[in-house]
Amino acid sequence: MGWSGRVSSFKSFSNCTTKVWQGTNYTGAAYGYAVNAANLGAMNDQANSVTMK
């Protein structure tokens, strides 16, 4: 089982920020860039790709 479509929160480390995307290959609606997110709101259980910087 993977994490795709199952993310409801995240926590980044080492001064990184994270952004989750609704579609694959970084497309569609997005949430971030944030260090931590306790709740993704409308993106809850919708993330299918992620970027970090």
Side-chain angles (χ1 to χ4, degrees):
M1 287 186 138
W3 60 269
S4 186
R6 300 174 59 124
V7 176
S8 58
S9 63
F10 62 80
K11 184 172 184 175
S12 304
F13 295 92
S14 299
N15 296 321
C16 291
T17 56
T18 301
K19 186 172 189 174
V20 293
W21 300 84
Q22 188 174 31
T24 57
N25 298 316
Y26 325 112
T27 60
Y31 179 96
Y33 284 95
V35 174
N36 299 313
N39 183 328
L40 299 180
M43 284 293 295
N44 188 49
D45 293 336
Q46 299 292 313
N48 289 293
S49 54
V50 62
T51 54
M52 292 169 264
K53 66 176 184 176

